[in-house]
Structure formats: structure tokens, C-alpha cells
Amino acid sequence: MFGVLSALIIIVVANNSAGSLAQPAIGRAFGAGPADVGWVVFGFSATFAVGTALWGGISRRIGLGPSLAIGAGLVAVGSLAAAFAPNLLVLIAARLVQGAGAGAIPTLGTTLVARNFHGPDRARALGAVVASVGTGLAVGPLVGGLALELIGWQANVGLGILAAPAVPVLYVVDRARDPGFRLDLRGAALIGIAALSATFVLNRLPVLGFGPATLLSLAIVATGGALYVRHSAIHADAFLPRRILGAPAFLQSVLLGSLGMSAFLGSLVLAPSAVARAHSLGGIALGTVLLPMAVCAALASFNSARIQRRLGREATIGSGLVALGGGAIALAAMGPAAPLPLLALALAAIGAGFGLIGTPIVAGLTHAFEGADQALAVGAYNLGFFLGGAAGAAIATAVLQIGLELPIFAGRAVAGYSSAELLLAIGPLVGAAVLRLQSPMPIPTTSPPQADGPGPAPGPGEVARGSGRG
């Protein structure tokens, strides 16, 4: 079971970066622009966000193993549909299915490990999960680049087919369930629909203006938001409880995390489209440019807890946000036609900053909540974190598609790229300034929960604690 789970984590993590590399080829295949093709990556992230917050509750109703099996099955089915997609719309829909299924893997996989290992073995097993995430981050650009060059974009978006063998193995493990548990599917549906509609508006409004599609999506966002506010006021056990959403510690964590994630995912989506066009790169060369970003994200994530113990929580988060913003500014200043080693170095800074912020943010969040609210707060944070990344990427690709360039960047090889990166840099730098001006969050004197997770959002240890209803 553990070997299958580790392999599944590697596949799911590598799947999204491989899909990002395929954007230029997909755009050529379907005659689509960056804002259209970007949905292959940030659409995946949007449904992944909702999934991470929902699968914990589903597992309580039907069992941990069956839930993991269904998630892996959705990844495989979505990948098969993506590989044979006849048009871009079908491809995007298939990637949304992939993201929804992939949301189960980090949330439930670490919970499964925690339940089946004890004492020192548990620490070693969770460390192996961290290593699996890091391996997936590292091999994603390499495998994606090789697959793109040898087979084509279909192999990149179809990588998740490899998750299929995990389905029968995971389905039979840990089938304990709580049939009486109430899962707020209505609240989750309202949040999910509103989130996808908001992402659509951010991505389409600069391209289409206030046309029928964007106006309809705005109406859905407003209606869905209003209905959820009413729903949460009536139901104390709503999908995202108001007592958590209104807590200052939660708001600070989501603000900092989502601003950092927007710069990371936005740059991950922008770089393949712009750099490949400026340098006429093939798949392997493009994967090599993105490799330092992935490796630095994995290394920084793995060592984030140690760095936090040395520097402190605020200094670690602030350093990560500055690295994210500084890397994006460097990319904007150089432009996509800059020498590839310099571009790779700036992307590496973004990866390192991304890896630094996740563990200390979630560690502070788990200190601020107790009991069942701790799991709900981490689940809600995951939702805001990945939606923030999707929002940043949606806006950035729209700027790239319409070629909106500031006068200081006029004449660049790919119009719009420098301005989009500069826009992405603003978020984490504002977050670092806010963190600097605020008083430190009080930390209890009791021993903090261990926070050695891999990454962006909560690491595996934190996700395991966040696997309840939210």
C-alpha cells in the first residue's frame, strides 16, 4: 500500500508541471492563445483547491481507502479523456476532472500513512511522503519535456493514466466509515461554482470585456456568494464555518499563502508559453529551464521547518515572499528573450520562495485553532491557497494574450510577458510588507504540531490534520 501511495503522489505532482510544459504545443494544435490554454494548468488548480477541502469529509462517509481509489480513478479517467481530447474545451474539462480527483491524494494519503504507521516508523513514512512530493516536483519538468518531444502534448496531459493501477489496491484498505456524518455538499457546490466562475471572470474579462459570458459569470459569482452567506448563517456545520473564515489568524494565513501561490503558479504558467516562443525551444530544453524552479521548491519545502526554527516564523515567511516577488521582478526586467541560465535562476528564486512559505504559515494556523476547528481551518486554507494561485495565473495569462505591455517594456520579444510578471510580483511583496507591519501572531507555549510538510500549501503532516469535514 505504501509503495503504491508513494508512486501515486509522484504521478499526481508531476502531472501538473508536465501539463504546464505542454501549453505552447496545445496552443499550436488548437489555435488558442495563452489565456485559453492556461486553463489546462490553473483550471486544474481551481478544482484541486475545492477537492482538497472536500475529500476529507467524503472519506468519513465512504471510507479512506475507497475515497483515495475514487480520487485516483478520476485522475486516470480525466487523463485518458485529455489525451484523446478533440478540442480545447474537452481538454480543459478533462483537466478539471483530473484536478478534482488529485485533490484527494495529499489530503487522504498522509492520513492513511498516519493511521497505519506508529512511533518512529510514522515519522519515517511521512518523511518518505515528503520525498515523494519532492521527487514529483523534480521529475515533472524532465519527464514532461521528454514526453513532449518524443510523443507530443497528449502524453503530458495523459500522464495521470499511470494512476489507474492504484485504484484496486487502495480501494480495499481502511474502509472504516461514519454513515451518520453530515457532509455539506450544498455549501461545497456553491463555493465550487462561485470559485470557477470567479476564475473565469478574471481570465476572460481582459480578453472579452463585459460580454455576455463574463456578465453571466459575474452574476453566478454574486448569486453563489450570497446564497452561501445565507447558507452558512443557517447551518453551523457549513462547508466553511463563519467562525473560521472571520478569524484574524485565518485571514492572515490565507492572504499570505494565496499571494505567494499566485506568483508561483502564475510564473509556472507564463514561462513555458513566453520563453518557448522567444527562444524556439523544444520540450526537453524547456523542461531543463523549469527544472531549477521545481528542484528549489522541493529543497526549500523539505528544509522549511528547520529554517523556521532558526529564523522564526515571520522571518521565514517574509523571506519566501521576498524571493517570490524578487524572482518575478527579475523575470519582468530581463524579458523572455534573456539568456536561458538567467531565466532559470530567476525561476529558481521563485521556486525557493514558494517552498519556504508553506510550512510556517500552516504551523501558525494550527496553533490558532484547536480540536475539530484545526482540521477545518487547514482545509479552508488549502481552498484559498490554491484558488489564489489560479486567480493569479488567470489574470497573468490574460495580460499575455492581449499583449498588454507597459511602455518601459515596449519592444520585447513576447508582448505582455514582462508586465504580467511585474503584476505577479506585487502580491507577495505586498504580503511581505503587511507581515512586517503586523505584530507577530501569538504562539502558545505548548509544543507545536510537527510541520515538516512539502510545500505550498500544508505539507503532508499538516494535511493529515486537515482531513476532516472541511
Side-chain angles (χ1 to χ4, degrees), residues 71-151:
L74 288 174
V75 171
V77 170
S79 299
L80 184 64
F84 291 96
N87 55 58
L88 184 59
L89 187 60
V90 173
L91 174 57
I92 291 170
R95 289 285 290 180
L96 296 181
V97 172
Q98 283 186 43
I105 310 307
T107 305
L108 305 184
T110 49
T111 305
L112 186 63
V113 169
R115 286 185 184 179
N116 284 274
F117 294 88
H118 305 282
D121 285 344
R122 177 183 292 180
R124 284 193 288 269
L126 288 174
V129 170
V130 175
S132 298
V133 175
T135 302
L137 285 170
V139 304
L142 294 178
V143 172
L146 188 63
L148 182 61
E149 201 141 310
L150 297 181
I151 303 174

Side-chain angles (χ1 to χ4, degrees), residues 2-116:
F2 182 71
V4 169
L5 182 61
S6 297
L8 182 61
I9 291 172
I10 293 172
I11 291 167
V12 168
V13 174
N15 181 60
N16 206 26
S17 57
S20 178
L21 280 173
Q23 289 178 99
I26 293 172
R28 290 191 297 269
F30 296 117
D36 310 318
V37 177
W39 278 91
V40 171
V41 183
F42 60 74
F44 178 100
S45 183
T47 53
F48 182 92
V50 179
T52 55
L54 185 60
W55 277 107
I58 294 174
S59 70
R60 289 188 60 178
R61 288 294 300 271
I62 68 173
L64 192 58
S67 297
L68 269 168
I70 293 172
L74 288 174
V75 171
V77 170
S79 299
L80 184 64
F84 291 96
N87 55 58
L88 184 59
L89 187 60
V90 173
L91 174 57
I92 291 170
R95 289 285 290 180
L96 296 181
V97 172
Q98 283 186 43
I105 310 307
T107 305
L108 305 184
T110 49
T111 305
L112 186 63
V113 169
R115 286 185 184 179
N116 284 274

Side-chain angles (χ1 to χ4, degrees), residues 450-470:
Q450 187 64 29
D452 286 325
E462 291 85 12
V463 175
R465 289 188 292 274
S467 57
R469 175 175 68 249

Side-chain angles (χ1 to χ4, degrees), residues 339-393:
L340 294 179
L342 294 180
L343 294 174
L345 186 62
L347 288 168
I350 292 175
F354 171 70
L356 282 178
I357 65 174
T359 297
I361 289 178
V362 177
L365 187 64
T366 56
H367 282 305
F369 295 92
E370 297 179 352
D373 279 356
Q374 188 179 83
L376 295 175
V378 173
Y381 167 82
N382 278 334
L383 178 65
F385 179 84
F386 287 105
L387 285 179

Side-chain angles (χ1 to χ4, degrees), residues 14-282:
N15 181 60
N16 206 26
S17 57
S20 178
L21 280 173
Q23 289 178 99
I26 293 172
R28 290 191 297 269
F30 296 117
D36 310 318
V37 177
W39 278 91
V40 171
V41 183
F42 60 74
F44 178 100
S45 183
T47 53
F48 182 92
V50 179
T52 55
L54 185 60
W55 277 107
I58 294 174
S59 70
R60 289 188 60 178
R61 288 294 300 271
I62 68 173
L64 192 58
S67 297
L68 269 168
I70 293 172
L74 288 174
V75 171
V77 170
S79 299
L80 184 64
F84 291 96
N87 55 58
L88 184 59
L89 187 60
V90 173
L91 174 57
I92 291 170
R95 289 285 290 180
L96 296 181
V97 172
Q98 283 186 43
I105 310 307
T107 305
L108 305 184
T110 49
T111 305
L112 186 63
V113 169
R115 286 185 184 179
N116 284 274
F117 294 88
H118 305 282
D121 285 344
R122 177 183 292 180
R124 284 193 288 269
L126 288 174
V129 170
V130 175
S132 298
V133 175
T135 302
L137 285 170
V139 304
L142 294 178
V143 172
L146 188 63
L148 182 61
E149 201 141 310
L150 297 181
I151 303 174
W153 63 265
Q154 293 89 346
N156 292 60
V157 298
L159 183 64
I161 295 174
L162 298 175
V167 174
V169 177
L170 295 173
Y171 188 80
V172 297
V173 303
D174 206 332
R175 303 184 69 177
R177 60 195 182 96
D178 180 9
F181 176 76
R182 181 187 177 276
L183 180 61
D184 183 21
L185 288 176
R186 182 183 177 187
L190 288 172
I191 291 293
I193 292 171
L196 283 174
S197 298
T199 304
F200 181 86
V201 171
L202 292 172
N203 178 253
R204 298 285 91 186
L205 185 59
V207 178
L208 302 178
F210 287 99
T214 50
L215 288 175
L216 176 61
S217 297
L218 280 171
I220 292 174
V221 172
T223 303
L227 288 175
Y228 185 79
V229 169
R230 181 176 180 274
H231 175 78
S232 63
I234 297 174
H235 302 282
D237 57 349
F239 180 60
L240 300 177
R242 296 176 68 180
R243 65 182 181 276
I244 291 175
L245 296 182
F250 175 80
L251 294 174
Q252 183 200 54
S253 298
V254 170
L255 173 67
L256 298 176
S258 61
L259 290 176
M261 180 59 168
S262 67
F264 176 80
L265 187 62
S267 297
L268 181 63
V269 174
L270 285 177
S273 297
V275 175
R277 198 189 317 173
H279 291 271
S280 300
L281 297 182

